[in-house]
Amino acid sequence: MTRVLTQPLVPFVDTLPVPPRLLAPQHDGRLTVAIRAGAHRFHRDLPESRIWGFDGTVPGPTIEAERAQPVRVEWRNELHGPLPVVVTIAPEATDADGVPVQAVPGLSGGAPDEHATALAGHTVVHLHGGLTPASYDGWAENLFAPGQPAVFHYPMDQRAALLWYHDHVMGVTKYDVYAGLAGLWIIRDERERELGLPEGPPFELPLLIQDRNFDVDDQERLTGQLVHKTDPDVMEAFAPFTTVNGKVWPVLDVQPATYRFRVLNGSNARTYRLVLFGDEAPELERITQIGTDHGLLRAPVSVPPDGLVLASAERADLLVDFSDLEPGSELTLLNTAAAPFDGSAFPAADASDAADLDGLLPYPQVMRFRVIQDQVTRRKIPHQLATDYRSPTPEALAGAPRRAIALVERELDDAPNMLTMRELEIAPDDHTGPLLTLTEGEQTTRYRTVASHFEDATTFFPMLGEYEVWQLINLTDDTHPIHLHLDPFQILSRRAIRYEIRQDGIDDFDLAASITLGRDPDDQLDHAIDDNERGLKDTIRVNPNEIVEIAVRFTTYAGRYMYHCHILEHEDRDMMRPFVTMPPDLMPFMA
Ligand SMILES: [Cu+2]
């Protein structure tokens, strides 16, 4: 039987806010953004919430820049403690009624985490998707203290795309972003203008999707106080209320026209599978996807039949056609992805029944579109979009360095599990320690672990200008969105594996497991590459029982960068590793 919770807030009563736009060219490319505490109302019927925000708003202003016109931002850290989020681990995963605690508001018996409350407001800003010199990339340990400004230079020498800027502090990104430290950043270029795509309101609007939870008072009324709640079974925070541009379940009045929505999943951990739903059936054919993380695809694509999947940090550039709809028509954007997401399918036709308490999805609605009486405007969608990239040729990849990374979950007796990334190297023949073996047909490759924690020695030194193939091997039960800083990459393959982890095979450093290419009979996933993933990506989903191969070529800046899972609770503990991009002329001098 499907259990349904009553909705503590009325959906579709707040108008979708449009974050303030900060057009860099109007300021000669010199911007100042204060990072400060503020107050924000997430819903008409909620009291104001304390937040931390860029310019004190949630989301921060949308910064818009032109390709090849550098932007200098003075980030002024004016934060002060305490953290405006109550952080807690509930003592049980379900309440007295058997309802998962992460599906309901309040602390569910958990005590506020004093260490989190005491956070004073150190921050560091990362421009996600930016081709940014290492000194301005927001290294997680190079913090701006409260009272300290930092001036970052962004060359903007990159194609048009929707990026976003957010806090990236070591260990507490999950709290700082949840508190509100995120904003959008749009780069525009001539190619997009040639195509005549909508630019700016009313027909181009960003949709920044984030889940949030709130505390309740002793009468069980929502107080507006932000709550980051985990439980003994689930170490990621999945919150019951979906916000778009900072409002819970908003509504947007649309003209009978084509809209361009720049969609970002800015949630800590939740993956969305978005279905546009009409009176009784999905209407996905109204949506044409024209762009992904790093901008335009080569040609428009339909969204996958089950809906548009966006894990944390993934973006989609969508054209949605409302032009044939009568005034008063309503379409609802629904989410059908249970949490934690593991890639499992869910038919779009059933989206209105997607509520799933055990899947931590009490309220599938995301937002609503309501068609108003206005002039009908139809827009032709260009057949050809990007012309500036192709898939890497087999020749280009033939001699490419190959890197292998295993994603593993380490169970601990006295603390929440650790998610880590094990960097692997082919083991010498005389290696006697723990091994990971990868068998493909007749061939078996033996790997040993060379790094496991963020602080372990760097092992990846990609050479600028040279293609590399990275293999991401998922040995966990959940999907991980893996993000590389700096240049974008392209997906080469997504292949099914079966594996066995040895008894105690995951310890603090080593990994002992055997992997075989090929599908497990119990594996329900199709391991397909969606059409919308065949663009320039910076975040890629790696599903359970799967190896994803990507081709990346770092071309721009030499220095120390990071790659990590973009589930913020994983990134903070300990699914993040450094890499150092190297100019070719320095390679002979490396020890
Ligand atoms: Cu992860």
Side-chain angles (χ1 to χ4, degrees):
M1 195 186 81
T2 313
R3 293 171 298 168
V4 178
L5 296 183
T6 53
Q7 294 182 136
L9 291 169
V10 185
F12 319 128
V13 292
D14 287 290
T15 299
L16 176 79
V18 180
R21 298 168 76 198
L22 201 46
L23 306 180
Q26 289 185 0
H27 300 269
D28 293 326
R30 299 161 80 87
L31 305 175
T32 301
V33 177
I35 305 169
R36 56 185 176 81
H40 176 79
R41 198 179 294 278
F42 283 95
H43 185 277
R44 181 193 72 181
D45 299 331
L46 274 177
E48 280 192 330
S49 303
R50 295 182 300 125
I51 55 97
W52 282 350
F54 293 99
D55 272 350
T57 66
V58 168
T62 300
I63 294 173
E64 297 190 27
E66 294 287 321
R67 181 174 191 164
Q69 292 184 24
V71 177
R72 164 197 180 274
V73 184
E74 181 176 340
W75 302 107
R76 301 182 64 92
N77 183 354
E78 297 173 2
L79 293 173
H80 53 78
L83 180 79
V85 177
V86 174
V87 173
T88 195
I89 305 178
E92 306 283 345
T94 52
D95 67 14
D97 301 322
V99 175
V101 293
Q102 295 215 32
V104 296
L107 302 190
S108 302
D113 181 329
E114 291 172 22
H115 297 298
T117 304
L119 287 168
H122 285 82
T123 187
V124 60
V125 181
H126 168 59
L127 177 59
H128 181 123
L131 270 55
T132 307
S135 352
Y136 310 123
D137 193 54
W139 180 261
E141 294 167 318
N142 292 349
L143 309 185
F144 327 154
Q148 278 177 356
V151 179
F152 277 18
H153 297 266
Y154 301 98
M156 294 289 99
D157 194 4
Q158 60 184 105
R159 63 208 299 272
L162 171 66
L163 317 183
W164 61 306
Y165 59 98
H166 62 78
D167 173 275
H168 211 312
V169 170
M170 198 74 202
V172 296
T173 296
K174 56 183 178 278
Y175 304 142
D176 287 355
V177 171
Y178 198 89
L181 291 176
L184 301 168
W185 183 307
I186 296 174
I187 305 173
R188 306 201 179 271
D189 70 9
E190 279 316 302
R191 178 58 187 159
E192 283 197 4
R193 295 211 172 95
E194 279 167 16
L195 295 170
L197 297 170
E199 186 176 317
F203 294 118
E204 183 203 38
L205 296 171
L207 303 179
L208 193 173
I209 304 176
Q210 296 177 306
D211 57 341
R212 290 291 180 270
N213 203 354
F214 306 101
D215 203 357
V216 290
D217 63 16
D218 48 18
Q219 322 260 299
E220 294 294 307
R221 288 174 306 213
L222 292 165
T223 64
Q225 168 65 55
L226 284 167
V227 168
H228 180 285
K229 178 168 54 180
T230 55
D231 66 64
D233 292 351
V234 184
M235 55 88 75
E236 306 85 6
F238 296 103
F241 303 103
T242 298
T243 69
V244 187
N245 299 347
K247 288 288 179 194
V248 176
W249 309 323
V251 59
L252 176 67
D253 285 343
V254 293
Q255 300 174 31
T258 300
Y259 280 68
R260 182 185 189 192
F261 294 115
R262 314 296 299 270
V263 190
L264 161 71
N265 179 358
S267 303
N268 277 32
R270 186 180 291 278
T271 294
Y272 291 83
R273 180 169 38 217
L274 299 171
V275 175
L276 188 64
F277 209 82
D279 286 340
E280 286 167 1
E283 302 199 13
L284 290 173
E285 64 286 351
R286 295 187 179 281
I287 306 177
T288 304
Q289 185 167 352
I290 59 170
T292 179
D293 301 348
H294 270 249
L296 291 178
L297 298 163
R298 279 176 290 232
V301 298
S302 306
V303 297
D306 275 5
L308 172 67
V309 181
L310 292 176
S312 176
E314 285 190 295
R315 286 91 79 201
D317 193 347
L318 305 179
L319 295 177
V320 181
D321 184 1
F322 302 107
S323 66
D324 63 324
L325 292 170
E326 295 297 319
S329 304
E330 289 180 338
L331 290 163
T332 307
L333 197 62
L334 299 170
N335 170 29
T336 68
F341 186 69
D342 61 5
S344 297
F346 190 93
D350 301 339
S352 55
D353 298 320
D356 174 1
L357 281 184
D358 295 327
L360 305 181
L361 181 61
Y363 315 113
Q365 69 263 17
V366 174
M367 66 174 291
R368 176 163 286 177
F369 303 97
R370 198 165 52 199
V371 181
I372 56 167
Q373 179 108 41
D374 209 310
Q375 194 187 332
V376 175
T377 39
R378 298 220 150 80
R379 179 180 289 275
K380 275 186 90 164
I381 295 171
H383 296 298
Q384 192 184 39
L385 300 167
T387 55
D388 62 341
Y389 75 96
R390 348 172 142 193
S391 312
T393 61
E395 296 76 56
L397 298 179
R402 300 178 71 83
R403 306 191 189 278
I405 303 124
L407 316 177
V408 301
E409 179 160 356
R410 183 173 171 224
E411 293 183 14
L412 297 171
D413 292 335
D414 51 352
N417 293 352
M418 289 278 282
L419 278 295
T420 66
M421 300 198 295
R422 304 294 162 96
E423 292 178 358
L424 306 170
E425 258 177 27
I426 292 179
D429 288 341
D430 59 356
H431 179 76
T432 54
L435 281 171
L436 177 135
T437 61
L438 177 56
T439 302
E440 187 170 5
E442 300 289 285
Q443 194 184 340
T444 295
T445 312
R446 301 159 73 244
Y447 291 98
R448 67 188 177 108
T449 304
V450 291
S452 291
H453 303 288
F454 186 75
E455 296 78 12
D456 291 343
T458 305
T459 74
F460 288 4
F461 292 89
M463 196 157 77
L464 290 179
E466 192 177 85
Y467 265 114
E468 304 213 333
V469 176
W470 291 24
Q471 281 190 319
L472 303 159
I473 307 165
N474 190 348
L475 305 182
T476 78
D477 295 334
D478 299 324
T479 298
H480 300 271
I482 302 297
H483 169 48
L484 274 57
H485 286 215
L486 202 57
D487 292 77
F489 54 77
Q490 295 188 61
I491 184 166
L492 298 174
S493 65
R494 178 173 269 149
R495 291 180 296 169
I497 54 171
R498 10 182 235 277
Y499 63 90
E500 211 171 306
I501 297 172
R502 303 257 186 285
Q503 180 86 39
D504 300 319
I506 301 173
D507 66 15
D508 183 55
F509 186 83
D510 275 309
L511 172 61
S514 56
I515 302 173
T516 308
L517 258 295
R519 178 186 291 271
D520 188 288
D522 294 333
D523 181 2
Q524 304 288 318
L525 303 190
D526 63 7
H527 303 286
I529 299 175
D530 292 337
D531 288 341
N532 59 16
E533 292 181 301
R534 295 186 189 278
L536 296 177
K537 296 280 291 168
D538 61 37
T539 305
I540 191 76
R541 296 187 303 275
V542 187
N543 297 303
N545 305 305
E546 183 169 291
I547 295 186
V548 170
E549 274 192 332
I550 59 171
V552 61
R553 181 167 55 171
F554 298 101
T555 58
T556 48
Y557 303 104
R560 183 168 290 266
Y561 292 90
M562 302 172 285
Y563 74 98
H564 56 87
C565 179
H566 218 288
I567 291 175
L568 302 184
E569 288 82 1
H570 295 183
E571 162 185 344
D572 282 341
R573 198 171 179 277
D574 179 36
M575 253 184 163
M576 182 157 78
R577 284 283 301 156
F579 63 90
V580 176
T581 51
M582 294 292 299
D585 57 301
L586 286 190
M587 291 307 262
F589 300 91
M590 294 292 290

